[in-house]
């Protein structure tokens, strides 16, 4: 392994990139959520109109993406803490990356089956 880095464009780098992207997506969602929820204080009618626009398949797919982003970000965050604070973490960072992916798939598949059935009227 080259000195000075663990990653060199492999699993660690991709998890770093995905962690930043999912963090940004979660932040944008939270910002929009705070803004649209605050409408209820300004005008309940405006709030209801905005919420009504969310009842479509595109937003349903976005909700699935949000759940995927939150799950990946959470489990990858645990992996990052283990790499940083566990003395054996750097040694096992690749295996932990693949474990995060496996856990993500195991949780996302049943969620997607149920959620997409609801989104598309199943």
């Amino acid at each position: 392994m080259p000195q000075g880095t663990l990653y060199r464009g492999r699993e660690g780098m991709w998890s770093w990139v995905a962690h930043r992207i999912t963090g940004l997506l979660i932040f944008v969602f939270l910002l929009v959520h705070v803004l649209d929820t605050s409408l209820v204080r300004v005008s309940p009618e405006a709030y209801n109109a905005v919420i009504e626009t969310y009842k479509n398949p595109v937003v349903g797919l976005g909700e699935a993406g949000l759940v995927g982003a939150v799950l990946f970000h959470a489990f990858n965050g645990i992996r990052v803490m283990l790499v940083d604070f566990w003395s054996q973490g750097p040694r096992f960072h690749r295996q932990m990356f693949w474990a995060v992916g496996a856990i993500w798939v195991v949780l996302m598949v049943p969620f997607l089956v149920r959620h997409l059935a609801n989104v598309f009227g199943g």
Side-chain angles (χ1 to χ4, degrees):
M1 178 181 314
Q3 278 192 263
T5 183
L6 289 173
Y7 303 136
R8 294 273 181 193
R10 298 205 43 187
E11 293 89 347
M13 187 192 88
W14 291 114
S15 73
W16 180 87
V17 169
H19 199 74
R20 278 15 177 222
I21 291 170
T22 56
L24 181 63
L25 293 173
I26 294 164
F27 172 77
V28 169
F29 164 76
L30 290 173
L31 179 65
V32 170
H33 178 64
V34 167
L35 292 174
D36 67 13
T37 303
S38 68
L39 277 176
V40 79
R41 304 268 300 155
V42 176
S43 167
E45 295 79 21
Y47 171 80
N48 288 335
V50 168
I51 296 304
E52 194 62 34
T53 66
Y54 292 162
K55 296 177 181 177
N56 67 65
V58 173
V59 174
L61 291 173
E63 290 170 341
L66 175 65
V67 169
V70 167
L71 285 175
F72 176 82
H73 196 80
F75 289 117
N76 192 58
I78 293 168
R79 186 195 71 81
V80 167
M81 288 187 291
L82 288 171
V83 169
D84 286 348
F85 298 113
W86 177 38
S87 64
Q88 297 296 311
R91 182 174 168 212
F92 294 107
H93 80 93
R94 285 190 183 115
Q95 292 90 335
M96 290 188 289
F97 171 79
W98 293 110
V100 165
I103 293 167
W104 185 85
V105 168
V106 165
L107 294 174
M108 278 302 290
V109 168
F111 165 75
L112 286 173
V113 169
R114 181 168 178 143
H115 180 69
L116 294 179
N118 289 333
V119 167
F120 293 107

